[in-house]
Amino acid sequence: MTHDTVIVCSKQKVHLRLPQLVSSAGFSIKKCRLVLVKPNVCGFYHPSLDLLSSLIRYLCTYADETVIGETASMVHTPERQFEKLGINSLARLSGAHVRTVNLSREQVFKVKVPKPHCLKELELPESVVKANIIVDVPKAGTHGTTVITNALKNLFGLLPQKHKYSVYHPLGMDRVIADIAQVVTPQLNIIDAGENVLIGTDPLAADVVACDFLGIDPLKVEHLKLVSQDRGESLEDFIEEIKIARF
């Protein structure tokens, strides 16, 4: 299967067969120091705790340290949300090598954007920069500004500023997301799509498939078009290359 393969399966199959499913999506992992898991915790759509639990159990076999990370928003603090959503309990039960982290409290590093739409450089938390593997765990949903919130939009939650809305929305959210996508590349994307789960190594492909579940035309989502164009390909051509495997 190509790197543009997206797996569609039930949540039950994720719990039973996650290693086989991620392998079918083209993902492989070896022993490593740090894995960063980025669920949407401070937004409006939260992924299933059972889904997150299955993922952490799988990653613990390979990672010396697994960080479940989120940054602060104007509405929520990660600490409060981790506790409220049961993620702190999950981390404690998983062992000392799994911890929840407010990424807004970490040291930040400036990273240049190769082909900026609006941001010449980004400030990113230490765990984002130093992670050997980043796993993006959003819950698919609609969004008033960006039409869809899913794998690519979830990366916006890696920017450390609490007041993201006032800092970045005036620049154009679709352009900001496209700039982030040039710098931050999750190696695995596991999407809670209601009764289904989408698994893929490419956040753009995962977002395109998620659009179908949400009844959205991906060609009307500006940041999907920008990300594809940044790769030197039209979104129309990219969509034609996506493979969907149902389990």
Side-chain angles (χ1 to χ4, degrees), residues 127-144:
S127 291
V128 178
V129 175
K130 294 187 176 181
N132 302 108
I133 291 174
I134 297 175
V135 184
D136 192 357
V137 192
K139 182 172 183 178
T142 58
H143 192 275

Side-chain angles (χ1 to χ4, degrees), residues 143-158:
H143 192 275
T145 303
T146 60
V147 184
I148 182 175
T149 175
N150 198 47
L152 288 167
K153 171 66 168 58
N154 193 39
L155 300 179
F156 180 66
L158 293 174

